[in-house]
Amino acid sequence: MAAKLDIVPLNEWGFFHLPPRPCVIAGPCSAESEEQVMETARGLKEIGINVFRAGIWKPRTHPGSFEGVGTEGLKWMQKVQKEYGMRVCTEVAGERHVFECLKHGVDMVWIGARTTANPFLMQEIAEALRDTDMPVLVKNPVNPDIDLWIGALERLNAQGIKKIGVIHRGVSTPDKIKYRNSPQWEMAVELHARYPELPVFADPSHMGGSRQYLAELSQRAMDLGFEGIMIESHCNPSCALSDASQQLTPPDLIKLLESLVVRDASTEDEVFNDTLRQLRAQIDVLDENLIFTLASRMKVSRRIGEIKKTNSIAIVQPSRWDEVLERAEKTAEGYGLDKEFVKRIFNAIHEASVAEQNK
């Protein structure tokens, strides 16, 4: 069972003022030079951004790629603090990174998706941050494992770190989709439901992988009630040494932010509230019907399992499952449902059905 988290509210961090939303953290994927850092920070400050991000150490799949400028870049971040009065943050992936950030007065750190998935590194980072008041944002792990995400938060909290938030950046997928990472918003929604006090940011840059998707992903985050976004901005994206295609110039970023529609969490309008209650009542009935249908399906699955065992037939029948999945996707398309969404649901149902047949 997940432990209760002791969290300091976002509006007490001294970084953001709530409302309005979204709270914005922006800056280049990587700090590349002092000139690039300062020019980008200046552009962001001019459009009202107060929290500057830049990667100092870059975890790359293959050696030989640009892996960040290292500790030297933290001196440029100090200059951003001094000249523009901005808060600065960067990614840490181990104890040494944390100590360097503390030594250079970094205001906030975030933990990347690969690091979140490693309990040993998370424990190391948590212990290095012990007795500090530094805010920490934790990205979801690369695979859709909400317990790994929660475990990372618990490790930080156990060391007395209370200014904690999360960044949803989607998950890796072998499937061909338009985005770089599969959004799987339901993962962040479930986490927020378990911990309503937990600040949630979206990372549309890594989720989309391309400038053309940043606006729609940012809007979706607002529709889901996220507190803010961490988004990549570069003074000259075409020359960026990493992730050039997903970065915006500061002028383009302000256009995106001004296009967002941010809705209130509640209203005193009785007509609206009454209509909403009625619609939610319909949802409750439909949810109960879904559960009844799933229970009925599992009963049939158990019966199929009994027949297979009696006749010494293998539980998993790949060709049969391919037929079921193909039919489900075609049916979903006919009802205007997203095929990837339906595929994920049916894969979960299949996994549970196989477990039932193996009992």
Side-chain angles (χ1 to χ4, degrees):
M1 181 178 178
K4 180 175 173 54
L5 298 177
D6 186 4
I7 297 173
V8 173
L10 186 63
N11 60 4
E12 295 180 18
W13 292 14
F15 284 53
F16 309 100
H17 301 287
L18 290 170
R21 293 169 42 230
C23 301
V24 181
I25 303 167
C29 174
S30 304
E32 300 164 357
S33 68
E34 182 176 339
E35 180 183 9
Q36 171 249 9
V37 165
M38 297 307 294
E39 185 178 346
T40 304
R42 178 179 57 80
L44 291 171
K45 185 66 176 181
E46 288 176 352
I47 64 171
I49 305 299
N50 191 50
V51 184
F52 181 81
R53 59 140 286 152
I56 299 297
W57 304 277
K58 299 298 298 179
R60 307 307 291 270
T61 301
H62 299 288
S65 303
F66 175 66
E67 296 183 309
V69 296
T71 304
E72 177 68 17
L74 294 176
K75 298 176 183 177
W76 309 336
M77 303 283 265
Q78 288 178 315
K79 194 172 179 180
V80 169
Q81 291 171 313
K82 182 178 179 180
E83 293 197 12
Y84 300 123
M86 300 176 79
R87 302 281 189 154
V88 299
C89 61
T90 195
E91 179 180 347
V92 295
E95 179 185 80
R96 183 178 69 83
H97 293 170
V98 172
F99 291 151
E100 289 293 336
C101 286
L102 292 172
K103 184 168 70 174
H104 288 84
V106 170
D107 297 295
M108 177 169 64
V109 296
W110 79 82
I111 295 167
R114 301 184 192 192
T115 307
T116 303
N118 189 322
F120 294 111
L121 286 177
M122 280 306 312
Q123 187 64 34
E124 178 182 303
I125 291 169
E127 291 176 4
L129 286 165
R130 183 194 300 145
D131 299 325
T132 72
D133 194 39
M134 181 180 285
V136 183
L137 298 175
V138 183
K139 288 194 174 184
N140 63 276
V142 289
N143 54 317
D145 188 335
I146 195 169
D147 286 325
L148 267 179
W149 205 1
I150 293 171
L153 299 171
E154 290 173 337
R155 290 178 187 278
L156 291 167
N157 217 202
Q159 299 301 319
I161 301 158
K162 298 181 180 180
K163 293 179 180 177
I164 305 173
V166 296
I167 304 171
H168 185 59
R169 45 81 78 189
V171 299
S172 300
T173 175
D175 298 327
K176 290 185 178 180
I177 60 174
K178 67 178 185 177
Y179 302 128
R180 175 178 176 179
N181 290 311
S182 174
Q184 295 207 17
W185 297 106
E186 63 272 19
M187 188 178 178
V189 170
E190 181 180 347
L191 184 70
H192 203 213
R194 294 192 196 184
Y195 305 101
E197 71 280 15
L198 186 68
V200 181
F201 287 75
D203 179 352
S205 304
H206 283 89
M207 192 179 290
S210 172
R211 281 183 284 278
Q212 66 179 310
Y213 303 128
L214 298 182
E216 64 185 71
L217 292 168
S218 297
Q219 183 59 60
R220 182 61 170 152
M222 293 301 96
D223 293 343
L224 291 171
F226 289 12
E227 278 75 18
I229 57 174
M230 175 185 275
I231 191 165
E232 292 184 351
S233 179
H234 192 294
C235 57
N236 189 358
S238 62
C239 297
L241 299 180
S242 58
D243 289 341
S245 63
Q246 66 191 38
Q247 302 189 65
L248 294 170
T249 63
D252 285 338
L253 174 57
I254 191 60
K255 290 178 184 176
L256 183 153
L257 295 175
E258 290 175 344
S259 75
L260 296 179
V261 177
V262 182
R263 298 171 175 84
D264 293 331
S266 61
T267 178
E268 298 299 321
D269 187 326
E270 282 304 315
V271 174
F272 167 84
N273 287 329
D274 186 55
T275 302
L276 186 61
R277 280 191 291 270
Q278 292 179 35
L279 292 172
R280 284 175 171 170
Q282 292 179 38
I283 288 288
D284 291 343
V285 172
L286 291 169
D287 285 346
E288 186 174 348
N289 290 339
L290 280 173
I291 292 171
F292 174 79
T293 300
L294 286 172
S296 299
R297 193 185 195 284
M298 290 305 154
K299 287 181 181 178
V300 176
S301 291
R302 284 194 290 273
R303 179 59 182 146
I304 290 174
E306 292 168 1
I307 294 172
K308 286 179 178 177
K309 287 176 183 177
T310 301
N311 292 274
S312 299
I313 302 297
I315 295 297
V316 178
Q317 302 284 322
S319 60
R320 162 63 181 166
W321 177 240
D322 288 343
E323 291 174 8
V324 171
L325 201 55
E326 183 180 357
R327 184 172 62 251
E329 289 179 347
K330 286 182 179 178
T331 304
E333 195 170 19
Y335 282 102
L337 290 172
D338 181 74
K339 288 194 293 184
E340 288 300 320
F341 166 65
V342 171
K343 184 178 179 180
R344 289 198 299 272
I345 290 175
F346 268 76
N347 278 327
I349 291 172
H350 182 239
E351 184 177 339
S353 296
V354 170
E356 286 292 336
Q357 292 183 37
N358 275 318
K359 287 182 177 179

